[in-house]
Amino acid sequence: VSVETLQIRAGSGSYDVLVGRGLLGSVGSLARPLTQAKRCAIVTDDVVGELYGDALLGSLMDAGFDPTVCRFAAGESSKSWREAGVLLERLSGSGLGRDSVVFALGGGVVGDLGGFAAAVYLRGVPVVHVPTTLLAQVDSSIGGKTAVDLPMGKNLAGAFWAPLAVFADLDCLGSLPATEWASGMGEAAKSALLDGEGSVAALEADAAALAAREATAVDRTVLMAAGLKARVVSGDEREAGPREALNLGHTLGHAIERVAGYGTVAHGRAVAEGIRFAAMVAEDVLDVSPAYGQRQDRLLTAVGLPPGRRTYEPAALLQAMYADKKVRAGEVRMVLSKAPGSWEIRAVREDVLAHTLERWVYAPDTKGQTT
Ligand SMILES: NC(=O)c1ccc[n+]([C@@H]2O[C@H](COP(=O)([O-])OP(=O)(O)OC[C@H]3O[C@@H](n4cnc5c(N)ncnc54)[C@H](O)[C@@H]3O)[C@@H](O)[C@H]2O)c1
């Protein structure tokens, strides 16, 4: 097994992110030196539990852990305050003490919910992330953010809780449905744009191989994107500076998810549209050449994220942008990519947002229709 280690050195904790193939069977032995714990919980959803639960269970038992399995229904609707309560009562009912560990096996939903439960259970027990979606491997398992949704919006209650370690087994990605794959590619494309020319060129060259999920291309892409996230969160954990750059594509992305109804448009698809929108704003506000916008558009399409249906009301999207929890002092701050590896964070005026939204909805290649 060839495994790469990314080191996170953040104020709230230092930990390693291990990325490799066939890691699942070694999670127990790799986690063993990190904790004295015997009792532990495997928190997972029913889909991932079915696919990979036994492999993790066996690996933990072989390493002397005594696991309790906590499963919940797959999907964003489980990332709720209520489900967190159910989970906490389950941990307590199973007699897990302060010296136990939570293993979160699954996508971002499992990581956020399991991480949140670990953060508050007995005022905090360690969590180990075992991410199984592309999105979770390149993004959500790294950085120590945990959350649940409230009826008023996504991720409105949560905590920063750095994991003990992250074990990303690339073999798990083989069973990922196409929509989830595309969703993760949205974040991977974002990472490449933030990272620099080398990463953008590599992703362009790898696009066809990625569509076929060829191992070499997949491994390279996950390492690039996870590596970028690792570096950014090591430098700035609480999103006051460079970490804010990770929001590239998320201003319109979040607005689309909100207006379409959460769960209707996959996160990465919404982010891909958000990147296209941010490119239009960057042309307007920073005089970035349209050729760069076209390059981003082609890259997104090549990795499986062509422009989608743009049947939204621009006014509804604008309103959703102002309702986002990231709005500060009534200003919509956008991350604008100027060139690969170079960006600027700008408060964008409402009239600029409004007319760019019109332009985006009625872009000549889509005209508010399907592609
Ligand atoms: N904490 C953070 O920093 C952070 C960052 C980005 C996103 N998020 C959160 O992550 C969540 C989205 O995560 P996600 O996209 O991984 O969704 P998810 O966890 O809902 O997983 C998507 C679907 O894929 C299934 N699945 C997972 N792994 C699989 C595999 N290997 N094979 C087959 N099916 C598999 C799941 O059961 C689920 O049905 C959102 O709630 C978002 O808010 C958190």
Side-chain angles (χ1 to χ4, degrees), residues 45-48 51-52 74-76 79 106-110 112 132-133 135-136 139-142 145-146 149 154-155 172-177 180 183 187 229 243 267:
D45 69 28
D46 48 11
V47 174
V48 180
L51 289 167
Y52 302 111
E76 182 74 30
K79 221 179 91 174
V109 165
V110 170
D112 277 11
T132 61
T133 62
L135 181 125
D139 188 358
S140 64
S141 68
I142 306 169
K145 280 199 207 173
T146 75
D149 303 332
K154 261 175 70 79
N155 298 328
C172 293
L173 301 178
S175 55
L176 210 56
E180 303 305 336
S183 190
E187 296 291 352
K229 176 110 190 216
R243 186 161 179 169
H267 181 67

Side-chain angles (χ1 to χ4, degrees), residues 77-89 113 148-149:
S77 60
S78 288
K79 221 179 91 174
S80 66
W81 188 251
R82 190 180 161 279
E83 199 62 47
V86 171
L87 182 53
L88 289 167
E89 288 179 25
L113 177 66
V148 295
D149 303 332

